[in-house]
Amino acid sequence: MAALVNSESRQAIQQFLGDNFTSLESLELVDDLLKEEERTHAQLEQEAAAASKTTQSLVAEASGVADSVHSKAMRLINVHSKVVGSTADESVSAWEFRDGTAVMELVSKLAAELQIYRRLRQAKEYIDEFIEIEKIAEQAAQNMAKSSQGVLSAYSASIALLSKHSNDSEVTDNISAQSLLEYIKHTVSSIWTDAETTAANSQSECLRKMGWPGKIDPPVAVLGEFGANFSMLASLDHITRDASEILLQSGVQLQSEDAPPLPLKHIARAVDIRMRYHFESARGTSRADKPEWWLSQVMNMVRSLVPLLELHLQSLYDRSALPPLDVRNEFIRLIQPIIQHKLAHDRSDYISNGLVIAHVSRELSEFEHTLQDVYFFDGPSVLDAFLADSDIFSAWVNAERKSAIDSYMETIADPGAFNQLYEDEVLDRDDPKPTQIAQNVVMLISDIAERYAVVPSCMQQLQFLSTTQFPVVIALVEDVEGEIDEFSRISLAFIRDASSTVSGSGANSPFAAQLRRLASWYQTVWYVEEAARDWNDSAIYVDMWAAVCRHARALGGDADPRDWRDECDDWSEKDRNVLDDCVTLETNEEWLDGGIWERTIKTLGELKQRILELMSRAINKDTVGQLRAYRKKANWASEGVGADADVEVSIELSGLLPELSHLVSMLSELLPFSGSAYLLRSLAAELDTFLVERVASAHQFNSSGGWQLAMDVSAISRVLRASAGSSALRGPSGQLLVKAVECARILSCSLDGEELPGDNDMALSLSEWAPAVLDAATDDKEAMLVLGKLGIRHLSIEKIRQLIKRRVDFAATFSSPEMF
């Protein structure tokens, strides 16, 4: 009531009371005064009603007169225009009515009145439109919490009104029209915002009542309320999409053209709110190094909502007029920006600690695979977009490289870096025996590959391989080569001092220690080489090889896919498209047997062979060094040498044979069969040459001395054959030291068929076949045929003749100058 009495009315009432009621007795006159005032008020109302009727009548009459005057004035103006335009008589412009009033003066007055009329009419239209939009806004406000249809009807009406005034040509030149249009636009936006907010809040509240973010178990009433809000938002979205051209033309931006369906947007927004509260705040759960925390929460929220989406909301959406889509798939797509926002929030932490990116990428990959495998999501990859950030990718690569190199350097600096990790009994002889550094290298490369295996881009995987894995192998090769170079410089230390016993013998000798050192390098390189062969056949590296082959074919010409590392730093987006194109690789026989690790395997194989050659030189040098006394033996032609059939080997070999036996046994423990076989073949060839050139061809022999040589050669052969245990070391005739054996056969052959100790299987005595061989007239080929039947097939005819001449007993018997 107080609001209905203004300050002026209050003052008038006080004045009236002061004038008429000055004492208590005067209060008795109140009834009379009130009755008098009521009569006065009734009389005034009657007069006001009569005046209103009179006014309306006069207004109507004036309006009719005005219209009539307007019509007549317009006709006069037309006549005047025709008269003025048809004559040059200046007196015409002074044409006057009968009362002397000038025509043009009247016309001017009528024109002014007409202008006033038009303004009044526009003002009336403006007020009518304003009242209409106010009614629409009021309708929307009254129905906001009551009737969704009432709100939607008001919203549609506001858009229709907006369309009407947006197409009005007078808007651009009329300030009032412009103001009205702005007010209509404001009203449309307000109705949209209020309707969206109200329905979205109600929808979120229904989610809470249904038990979300836990397992959803909706009561029927709550589910119905949720569905009503869902449909309300869907209808609001549909109306807005249909009016998109009008809204765009009017400059009203309610939502973008590619905006998701409104009801699904607000369901996803509920996930976003919880994500930001728990994982993008100062709470303890907001940790960049724990992506599994927030990804598991997102997955739980998705898992709880999917049944609601599939069983209830899909049918509600299908009944709306919105474009058809899979509600579940679209909802999951709306989750992607939430994940991207979280990744952007932690970006600085990722860049400062690049190794965390590997963990994040692994968790993202597993998250996306779950969405794809369980919920059949076919949308874009967040992981791909995450790693497309060059700063993120560089931080990861640099951190991986630094971590790998630091780990390698720490291991190689250990004095036991090349120590074997396992006992010989644990692994088979033909299995590579890892050293600490070899296992470290293999584990580093395998672990790095396992981490970046989740990277979707093949080009980025190749950059990882080139930047983080190859440098580790290169560092190992360079370190082993450095050890080999240093070893080669001091290789003269292998020459034994026969008079020294300080250095020890057998397993305790410095020579054995150096062999074990060389073998550890061999095992290191071999272990990494075998691992590289396995890597070359694994799926991730096969895909990389296919990619670089595609790239080489795209380059054309003589491009070699094995040269990919030379240009990977300069790859562009065009190169990425080729490398990441997973089209099946066409058969290419030229590169069919290749692989991404091919050159690494070749380098390691060459390094392994270099170690074997160094070991071979060392072994041969040491063994031949121990034969110095044997080489200087000069009693091969003396009487009594080898007189008994059970004669022992030469005393000069008594020290070599145990060392040789231990050497061969040690090699079988230190190296695989192929490696030890290579070394023993080389040693056998070296001993064969030594016995032929430095012993058999350098001394005079009789048959007894020849038999002694045969016993020595046989003893050495037995040591090699027994230790090797394989025919792989034997010569073409099934024997070791084949040339030395043949030399011994010639030098131990009986002169005239006399009985000699041992078992000589030569069918002819020396005196029966040697003269013909020495005869210059004998054809060399025919001589070799005869000698072949006697078991001599590998010595040259010149060497055979030389050996025959070394037989002092034969020379004494056959002293023909033609022979000697």
Side-chain angles (χ1 to χ4, degrees):
M1 183 68 181
L4 299 176
V5 180
N6 56 32
S7 60
E8 293 181 357
S9 298
R10 186 178 294 109
Q11 290 176 0
I13 293 171
Q14 290 175 352
Q15 181 67 34
F16 175 79
L17 292 175
D19 292 341
N20 293 281
F21 303 102
T22 58
S23 65
L24 293 175
E25 291 77 6
S26 59
L27 293 175
E28 296 176 356
L29 303 176
V30 169
D31 291 338
D32 297 335
L33 289 173
L34 287 176
K35 291 178 181 179
E36 183 180 351
E37 289 297 328
E38 287 176 356
R39 287 193 298 271
T40 303
H41 181 69
Q43 183 179 356
L44 289 174
E45 283 185 345
Q46 291 175 0
E47 292 177 356
S52 177
K53 265 173 121 179
T54 304
T55 301
Q56 290 177 358
S57 175
L58 292 174
V59 168
E61 184 179 353
S63 177
V65 172
D67 289 340
S68 175
V69 170
H70 175 261
S71 176
K72 292 179 180 180
M74 293 304 298
R75 286 199 300 273
L76 288 173
I77 290 171
N78 290 335
V79 171
H80 178 265
S81 298
K82 291 179 180 179
V83 172
V84 172
S86 61
T87 179
D89 188 357
E90 296 180 359
S91 63
V92 173
S93 61
W95 186 36
E96 297 179 350
F97 289 107
R98 292 178 182 176
D99 59 356
T101 303
V103 173
M104 291 309 300
E105 181 180 351
L106 176 60
V107 169
S108 298
K109 290 180 181 180
L110 291 174
E113 294 296 331
L114 179 62
Q115 190 69 18
I116 292 172
Y117 172 77
R118 287 178 176 174
R119 289 176 182 173
L120 290 173
R121 187 175 62 183
Q122 289 175 352
K124 181 178 180 300
E125 292 175 353
Y126 177 88
I127 293 172
D128 291 343
E129 296 290 353
F130 184 85
I131 292 173
E132 183 178 355
I133 193 63
E134 279 293 311
K135 288 180 179 179
I136 291 173
E138 184 178 359
Q139 177 189 351
Q142 290 175 349
N143 289 283
M144 196 63 68
K146 299 178 182 178
S147 169
S148 59
Q149 291 302 319
V151 175
L152 295 173
S153 175
Y155 181 59
S156 298
S158 67
I159 291 178
L161 198 58
L162 177 65
S163 174
K164 172 184 175 182
H165 286 272
S166 296
N167 297 324
D168 192 346
S169 60
E170 296 182 2
V171 171
T172 55
D173 300 326
N174 192 315
I175 297 177
S176 298
Q178 292 177 3
S179 299
L180 179 62
L181 179 60
E182 290 298 322
Y183 185 70
I184 295 173
K185 289 160 60 175
H186 172 74
T187 302
V188 170
S189 299
S190 297
I191 296 175
W192 158 272
T193 302
D194 293 343
E196 179 189 15
T197 302
T198 301
N201 290 342
S202 180
Q203 181 176 264
S204 298
E205 180 63 19
C206 290
L207 275 178
R208 187 190 64 78
K209 291 178 181 178
M210 288 189 289
W212 188 83
K215 182 179 180 181
I216 294 180
D217 186 15
V220 176
V222 176
L223 185 60
E225 183 182 354
F226 182 88
N229 287 292
F230 186 93
S231 299
M232 165 66 177
L233 289 171
S235 299
L236 192 66
D237 192 2
H238 170 62
I239 295 171
T240 305
R241 293 177 187 274
D242 282 353
S244 58
E245 292 185 7
I246 298 171
L247 295 171
L248 180 62
Q249 180 182 350
S250 303
V252 179
Q253 183 67 31
L254 299 180
Q255 61 180 9
S256 60
E257 293 182 5
D258 57 348
L262 201 56
L264 296 179
K265 170 187 172 182
H266 285 285
I267 296 177
R269 183 172 175 269
V271 177
D272 188 24
I273 291 172
R274 296 187 63 82
M275 273 289 296
R276 298 198 186 199
Y277 175 76
H278 290 287
F279 303 107
E280 295 183 25
S281 61
R283 300 173 66 85
T285 51
S286 181
R287 291 180 54 177
D289 62 334
K290 295 293 183 181
E292 63 273 21
W293 288 2
W294 56 270
L295 283 172
S296 63
Q297 288 299 311
V298 172
M299 183 57 70
N300 289 337
M301 288 187 279
V302 170
R303 189 177 293 116
S304 65
L305 280 169
V306 163
L308 179 68
L309 294 169
E310 294 177 337
L311 299 177
H312 301 287
L313 303 188
Q314 183 67 61
S315 59
L316 285 177
Y317 184 89
D318 292 341
R319 289 197 295 269
S320 73
L322 292 173
L325 53 76
D326 185 337
V327 169
R328 179 195 60 217
N329 198 73
E330 180 66 12
F331 170 72
I332 296 176
R333 188 184 70 81
L334 295 178
I335 297 296
Q336 309 300 300
I338 300 174
I339 298 174
Q340 290 174 337
H341 189 276
K342 169 61 178 171
L343 294 173
H345 178 269
D346 295 336
R347 184 175 183 272
S348 59
D349 294 328
Y350 298 149
I351 292 176
S352 61
N353 185 8
L355 290 179
V356 175
I357 300 173
H359 181 41
V360 175
S361 299
R362 170 67 61 183
E363 293 295 329
L364 279 175
S365 177
E366 293 178 358
F367 177 81
E368 291 187 342
H369 284 155
T370 301
L371 294 180
Q372 294 164 3
D373 298 340
V374 178
Y375 301 112
F376 308 103
F377 177 63
D378 57 359
S381 168
V382 175
L383 176 60
D384 201 357
F386 176 60
L387 295 179
D389 185 334
S390 59
D391 292 336
I392 290 290
F393 182 71
S394 297
W396 184 8
V397 171
N398 293 335
E400 287 283 8
R401 180 175 60 246
K402 184 179 184 303
S403 176
I405 294 299
D406 288 348
S407 177
Y408 174 82
M409 296 303 294
E410 180 181 357
T411 304
I412 199 68
D414 189 334
F418 290 97
N419 290 350
Q420 185 174 315
L421 290 176
Y422 310 110
E423 298 295 333
D424 293 337
E425 293 78 10
V426 176
L427 298 171
D428 187 74
R429 176 184 179 184
D430 288 327
D431 291 330
K433 300 176 176 62
T435 60
Q436 290 187 26
I437 188 63
Q439 181 166 277
N440 175 260
V441 168
V442 171
M443 289 182 64
L444 283 173
I445 292 174
S446 299
D447 290 347
I448 292 172
E450 183 179 358
R451 286 192 289 271
Y452 74 67
V454 301
V455 175
S457 169
C458 189
M459 187 182 84
Q460 289 182 327
Q461 289 183 342
L462 287 165
Q463 289 170 335
F464 261 110
L465 175 64
S466 175
T467 309
T468 64
Q469 293 174 292
F470 281 162
V472 177
V473 179
I474 292 171
L476 175 67
V477 170
E478 291 176 348
D479 285 333
V480 173
E481 287 180 338
E483 294 284 350
I484 292 173
D485 293 339
E486 180 65 20
F487 186 88
S488 299
R489 285 194 291 272
I490 61 173
S491 59
L492 290 176
F494 282 124
I495 300 178
R496 297 182 184 227
D497 183 358
S499 63
S500 174
T501 59
V502 178
S503 61
S505 62
N508 299 321
S509 67
F511 175 70
Q514 295 296 344
L515 283 183
R516 282 192 289 272
R517 184 182 175 194
L518 286 166
S520 70
W521 299 342
Y522 181 91
Q523 291 286 357
T524 296
V525 176
W526 182 30
Y527 185 76
V528 178
E529 180 193 23
E530 289 301 309
R533 293 184 187 279
D534 292 338
W535 297 332
N536 216 35
D537 295 331
S538 64
I540 185 172
Y541 296 113
V542 169
D543 291 341
M544 290 187 197
W545 178 245
V548 296
C549 288
R550 280 197 305 271
H551 187 257
R553 187 168 60 250
L555 293 176
D558 299 328
D560 188 337
R562 294 171 297 185
D563 296 332
W564 66 271
R565 285 195 68 202
D566 299 336
E567 55 191 24
C568 68
D569 292 337
D570 299 324
W571 278 339
S572 63
E573 191 64 27
K574 179 181 178 181
D575 297 306
R576 176 170 184 157
N577 293 335
V578 174
L579 291 165
D580 292 352
D581 182 10
C582 296
V583 178
T584 304
L585 180 65
E586 297 177 5
T587 302
N588 190 335
E589 296 293 338
E590 185 177 0
W591 309 117
L592 190 61
D593 298 327
I596 207 73
W597 289 95
E598 179 182 349
R599 287 187 173 176
T600 300
I601 295 170
K602 180 181 178 183
T603 299
L604 293 170
E606 292 172 349
L607 183 58
K608 188 175 66 172
Q609 184 61 30
R610 183 183 173 191
I611 296 171
L612 281 179
E613 291 173 356
L614 185 58
M615 292 182 73
S616 176
R617 289 197 302 270
I619 292 170
N620 295 348
K621 187 177 183 180
D622 180 80
T623 303
V624 170
Q626 294 184 70
L627 290 171
R628 280 180 292 178
Y630 187 75
R631 177 174 58 83
K632 294 178 181 179
K633 179 178 178 178
N635 62 346
W636 300 105
S638 301
E639 292 297 329
V641 177
D644 300 323
D646 58 350
V647 65
E648 298 293 337
V649 297
S650 298
I651 192 172
E652 293 82 0
L653 292 181
S654 59
L656 171 67
L657 293 179
E659 288 285 339
L660 185 60
S661 177
H662 177 267
L663 170 67
V664 176
S665 177
M666 183 173 67
L667 289 178
S668 67
E669 296 174 358
L670 295 177
L671 298 173
F673 174 77
S674 59
S676 60
Y678 172 84
L679 295 179
L680 293 177
R681 279 197 299 268
S682 175
L683 177 59
E686 185 72 18
L687 290 174
D688 201 18
T689 301
F690 176 85
L691 292 171
V692 172
E693 301 297 337
R694 306 299 294 277
V695 178
S697 300
H699 297 282
Q700 299 290 337
F701 287 84
N702 58 21
S703 58
S704 298
W707 274 111
Q708 182 64 65
L709 177 64
M711 293 294 290
D712 294 343
V713 172
S714 178
I716 295 173
S717 295
R718 281 197 303 273
V719 172
L720 295 176
R721 186 180 300 112
S723 300
S726 173
S727 60
L729 301 182
R730 300 178 183 178
S733 63
Q735 293 180 330
L736 294 172
L737 310 176
V738 290
K739 291 184 178 180
V741 169
E742 292 183 359
C743 287
R745 290 171 67 84
I746 293 172
L747 295 176
S748 64
C749 183
S750 63
L751 182 62
D752 294 312
E754 71 274 14
E755 184 177 352
L756 294 173
D759 182 17
N760 191 312
D761 58 354
M762 291 190 72
L764 301 175
S765 64
L766 188 64
S767 60
E768 290 176 314
W769 61 267
V773 173
L774 292 175
D775 189 353
T778 303
D779 182 70
D780 291 348
K781 293 183 179 180
E782 293 181 0
M784 290 304 298
L785 289 175
V786 174
L787 291 170
K789 294 179 180 180
L790 297 176
I792 302 172
R793 300 181 180 87
H794 302 94
L795 293 173
S796 66
I797 190 65
E798 291 78 9
K799 180 58 67 176
I800 294 171
R801 288 168 178 166
Q802 181 185 6
L803 292 172
I804 294 173
K805 295 175 182 179
R806 306 308 293 179
R807 284 287 297 269
V808 294
D809 50 354
F810 179 80
T813 304
F814 299 91
S815 56
S816 171
E818 290 79 7
M819 292 183 182
F820 295 90

